[in-house]
Amino acid sequence: MWQQVLLAETPNWSHLDVLQQFWTHLRMEVGYRTLLHYRLGSCDCWFDDVLGTDNSTALMWNNQTYPHYLRHRQDADILAVSCLRFQQYQEVLLALSAMLDQIRSTPVVLQLCGDEDSNRELNSARLMLKQSQDLKMPNVVLLSWKFVTSGTLYSYEMFPEFKLQTLVYQAYRTLFPYKLGNLQGYPIRTIPDNSEPHTIVQKMWNGSITIKGPVWQLMVEFVKHLNGTLQLPIQPHPERSFKLVEILDLVRNQTVDIAASLRPYSVHVQRSSTHIYGFPMMVGNWCAMLPTERVIGSHEALTRLMESPWTWLVLLLLYGLHRFLVLKTRLRSSLVHLTKLLINLALICFLQAQLSAYFIGPQKVNHIANMQQLEESGLKIRGMRSEFMEYPIDMRIRHASSFLLHDVFFDLAQYRNSFNTSYGYTVTSAKWQLYKEAQRHFRRPLFRYSEDICVQKLSLFSLILQDNCLYRHENKRFILRLHEAGLIYLWYRRSYYVMVTAGRFPIGDLSTVHQAQPIRWSEWQYVVLLYGVGLLFSVLVFVIELTVHYVNVCLNNL
């Protein structure tokens, strides 16, 4: 169980100056605020006597069976210390790695207790620190059991391979140097998921494989930054893409350190697995890519015009104004005649403006703004079957018939990359930049990105990292630098041209060109029909007026 350590004044003993100097060195270099003391009953050491009386929180754990997980309670500025015998090192290191899970870069000071000769102690130190490296604990220092007299301590170099260091303590020495600044060619294992446009696997004419794409470019620059190399444990294939489940399996079985796969944070991932996602590389959403609404025909335009109540209201007002001016004409006023001419001119200008607007911006069918309108329009959305469970539950239950699902990613990509306007498609905002850039070369856009129909309104797109990945914090800093420089946005804009070069994307204007054509006979028939209807309506009105007139004459003659 946890116990608050009672800090008593240190007694005066022979090697107090050395120990106090070392402890002060730790406080100055590490700057810890929480001290974790993993204490074993079978071993006594000087940590119990020199625990500082500063403002740090001192915690002691003496249960060897159930190590406590610290990250959700104490996750920053920790220093871990423990005394152990060589026979206990595996048990102690496993317990510390469990307590410091996801924060294993925490500085750890171990002290050997027990009388051992120099050669045996050196072998013990090598085994213990090699175990620390295997557990991904880079900041471990081991103190000799004769440290207070000889000042001997042990550390290790991680890259390019494990190397034990036997050091003598000096006040100027850095106890926990940063080890990830130079990997010295050490390989970082990765695999591209071949998900366009993030990573593009291409087979060249000579049979070699090349990999391109914004995410792969980031991985290349990242390993250059660390002076490392990229290693592919699995040979990628141009016709194969990795699903999220396959990527997770490769990461969890430690085949891959960092997967070159950009994935949105999944709400269905268990809380214990959220650490597999790295720092967000992009922030966006996951919505639908819908065809732009088609231009309605002349028949539909006239039908809409006649169905609108505003049309009949305007006609009624014009007729009333006309009757009013007819009555005023009897006054023989020149101002009234001028007003009639101005009204006729305004009406002609209004009609001309409407006609010009029709040619400049033709009317389109109703804008699809929700799933109900999508279902009524009959438009189907193509997506991946493996991603269907990520959709909102309302979308899956009530509107499942509006989706066409694929098992193979390249089948979906073939429809989407050809700009087939017969369907809509699910697409992330990161991939939409590719299609947006492609449509800059079109006379008119064929698709729009609808933020009204979304799988996730807010998505964090992250790389998939191995559990307790050594490069997590360095990768975070590197991504922040790329964002500040605007390189990630630039790489995604250029991904269109990369895909065109790789033959994965069509080039040119795929939009339909509208050419001037002679008026068809069907259009003339429609005009004649409208003219006949209008003429019939006028004759009917004229007959009604004559009937009213003659009825009044007959009544006056009676």
Side-chain angles (χ1 to χ4, degrees):
M1 59 179 293
W2 288 111
Q3 300 175 3
Q4 185 70 29
V5 177
L6 299 177
L7 302 177
E9 184 177 355
T10 305
N12 188 15
W13 54 304
S14 57
H15 303 293
L16 177 62
D17 293 339
V18 176
L19 299 178
Q20 287 290 6
Q21 182 182 6
F22 179 75
W23 201 256
T24 302
H25 190 154
L26 285 175
R27 286 202 302 267
M28 296 298 294
E29 180 177 334
V30 178
Y32 63 90
R33 293 183 298 169
T34 301
L35 178 66
L36 169 63
H37 185 190
Y38 185 52
R39 182 177 183 180
L40 302 177
S42 61
C43 189
D44 295 327
C45 66
W46 50 266
F47 284 139
D48 295 336
D49 299 321
V50 297
L51 290 178
T53 57
D54 52 5
N55 294 326
S56 64
T57 302
L59 303 173
M60 183 173 67
W61 183 257
N62 56 15
N63 190 326
Q64 302 180 33
T65 306
Y66 302 103
H68 192 71
Y69 182 34
L70 276 178
R71 183 170 180 263
H72 294 311
R73 294 171 176 82
Q74 306 283 340
D75 61 351
D77 300 332
I78 300 176
L79 173 65
V81 296
S82 180
C83 291
L84 70 159
R85 298 182 184 277
F86 171 71
Q87 296 81 0
Q88 301 170 317
Y89 82 92
Q90 291 184 337
E91 173 190 346
V92 171
L93 290 176
L94 286 174
L96 285 174
S97 66
M99 285 188 277
L100 301 176
D101 191 33
Q102 307 309 317
I103 49 174
R104 292 187 186 175
S105 59
T106 298
V108 178
V109 178
L110 303 176
Q111 182 193 2
L112 280 174
C113 60
D115 190 0
E116 294 184 353
D117 58 59
S118 300
N119 292 332
R120 185 176 178 183
E121 183 180 86
L122 190 64
N123 292 331
S124 300
R126 180 177 289 105
L127 292 174
M128 294 172 66
L129 294 180
K130 185 63 173 68
Q131 176 77 1
S132 300
Q133 183 188 34
D134 295 339
L135 292 174
K136 303 173 186 176
M137 300 170 64
N139 297 318
V140 178
V141 169
L142 176 64
L143 305 183
S144 170
W145 73 277
K146 297 183 295 184
F147 174 75
V148 292
T149 57
S150 64
T152 302
L153 56 89
Y154 302 96
S155 182
Y156 70 96
E157 293 183 359
M158 300 184 68
F159 308 106
E161 59 184 10
F162 175 82
K163 181 180 179 181
L164 180 67
Q165 292 180 313
T166 303
L167 308 173
V168 177
Y169 172 70
Q170 300 289 341
Y172 60 82
R173 184 180 298 279
T174 301
L175 297 176
F176 302 101
Y178 187 62
K179 298 179 180 179
L180 298 177
N182 185 1
L183 302 188
Q184 302 181 46
Y186 186 81
I188 296 178
R189 297 168 300 170
T190 186
I191 186 70
D193 62 355
N194 200 16
S195 176
E196 303 167 352
H198 307 311
T199 54
I200 305 167
V201 180
Q202 182 184 7
K203 189 173 184 179
M204 304 301 290
W205 61 271
N206 58 359
S208 62
I209 297 295
T210 61
I211 307 173
K212 299 179 181 179
V215 174
W216 187 255
Q217 184 72 23
L218 180 141
M219 292 297 301
V220 171
E221 298 300 329
F222 179 61
V223 296
K224 286 182 181 178
H225 173 68
L226 297 181
N227 191 24
T229 56
L230 282 177
Q231 182 182 23
L232 296 174
I234 300 176
Q235 184 69 16
H237 194 277
E239 302 299 327
R240 181 191 178 189
S241 63
F242 287 89
K243 300 178 181 179
L244 177 60
V245 176
E246 296 174 319
I247 292 293
L248 294 180
D249 289 340
L250 291 174
V251 169
R252 285 168 179 161
N253 62 24
Q254 299 187 3
T255 304
V256 171
D257 297 316
I258 304 176
S261 175
L262 192 68
R263 302 284 179 166
Y265 181 86
S266 175
V267 296
H268 297 284
V269 173
Q270 297 179 359
R271 183 179 179 182
S272 59
S273 301
T274 55
H275 54 263
I276 63 175
Y277 290 92
F279 184 78
M281 181 177 167
M282 297 190 73
V283 178
N285 46 33
W286 183 8
C287 298
M289 169 179 159
L290 301 179
T292 53
E293 287 73 13
R294 64 177 179 83
V295 177
I296 64 176
S298 56
H299 295 187
E300 291 178 281
L302 288 173
T303 302
R304 285 188 178 188
L305 181 64
M306 301 310 295
E307 289 178 350
S308 174
W310 295 103
T311 301
W312 297 103
L313 180 60
V314 170
L315 291 176
L316 182 61
L317 290 175
L318 289 176
Y319 179 75
L321 183 61
H322 171 72
R323 296 301 303 171
F324 174 76
L325 292 177
V326 168
L327 294 175
K328 290 295 184 181
T329 306
R330 298 173 183 176
L331 300 177
R332 304 295 180 181
S333 173
S334 58
L335 182 61
V336 173
H337 288 286
L338 181 61
T339 304
K340 289 180 61 178
L341 295 176
L342 291 176
I343 291 176
N344 292 336
L345 178 62
L347 182 60
I348 293 173
C349 292
F350 174 76
L351 294 175
Q352 184 179 6
Q354 291 293 323
L355 185 62
S356 300
Y358 180 79
F359 283 109
I360 296 173
Q363 297 184 31
K364 298 182 179 180
V365 297
N366 293 331
H367 184 82
I368 297 176
N370 52 54
M371 287 299 300
Q372 185 64 35
Q373 294 178 358
L374 177 73
E375 193 168 0
E376 292 173 355
S377 68
L379 183 68
K380 304 293 184 180
I381 296 182
R382 291 185 176 271
M384 291 298 297
R385 190 179 306 277
S386 58
E387 298 172 347
F388 187 67
M389 295 307 296
E390 302 287 337
Y391 295 2
I393 187 170
D394 181 69
M395 187 179 292
R396 282 185 281 133
I397 294 177
R398 298 179 58 186
H399 307 287
S401 60
S402 297
F403 294 92
L404 299 176
L405 303 177
H406 293 268
D407 294 316
V408 181
F409 170 76
F410 290 105
D411 293 341
L412 171 63
Q414 184 177 3
Y415 278 96
R416 195 165 59 189
N417 293 352
S418 63
F419 289 91
N420 189 329
T421 56
S422 301
Y423 308 96
Y425 308 94
T426 57
V427 67
T428 61
S429 57
K431 289 188 177 183
W432 168 248
Q433 298 301 322
L434 168 69
Y435 300 98
K436 183 179 179 181
E437 183 67 22
Q439 292 186 111
R440 294 179 186 272
H441 303 275
F442 295 177
R443 286 185 174 86
R444 62 181 185 88
L446 296 179
F447 283 87
R448 62 180 178 88
Y449 189 64
S450 173
E451 295 187 355
D452 299 318
I453 302 175
C454 288
V455 176
Q456 290 182 9
K457 289 286 187 180
L458 176 64
S459 294
L460 305 179
F461 299 91
S462 307
L463 298 176
I464 308 297
L465 279 63
Q466 194 180 110
D467 188 22
N468 288 289
C469 182
L470 289 172
Y471 318 105
R472 175 181 291 273
H473 298 294
E474 192 63 39
N475 183 259
K476 171 185 175 180
R477 287 193 289 265
F478 187 73
I479 289 176
L480 287 173
R481 290 181 182 178
L482 292 180
H483 272 295
E484 291 173 355
L487 289 177
I488 293 180
Y489 177 75
L490 176 65
W491 290 342
Y492 270 96
R493 283 201 61 183
R494 289 182 175 178
S495 63
Y496 164 70
Y497 305 99
V498 173
M499 289 191 63
V500 169
T501 305
R504 296 289 189 90
F505 215 83
I507 188 172
D509 186 6
L510 300 181
S511 60
T512 304
V513 180
H514 295 284
Q515 297 180 350
Q517 297 178 353
I519 300 177
R520 298 187 299 271
W521 174 242
S522 60
E523 297 289 342
W524 284 113
Q525 288 179 327
Y526 190 70
V527 171
V528 171
L529 177 62
L530 289 178
Y531 178 76
V533 171
L535 184 61
L536 182 62
F537 180 76
S538 300
V539 170
L540 180 62
V541 172
F542 179 68
V543 170
I544 293 174
E545 289 182 346
L546 285 178
T547 302
V548 172
H549 173 72
Y550 284 111
V551 168
N552 290 332
V553 171
C554 292
L555 291 176
N556 291 332
N557 293 332
L558 290 178

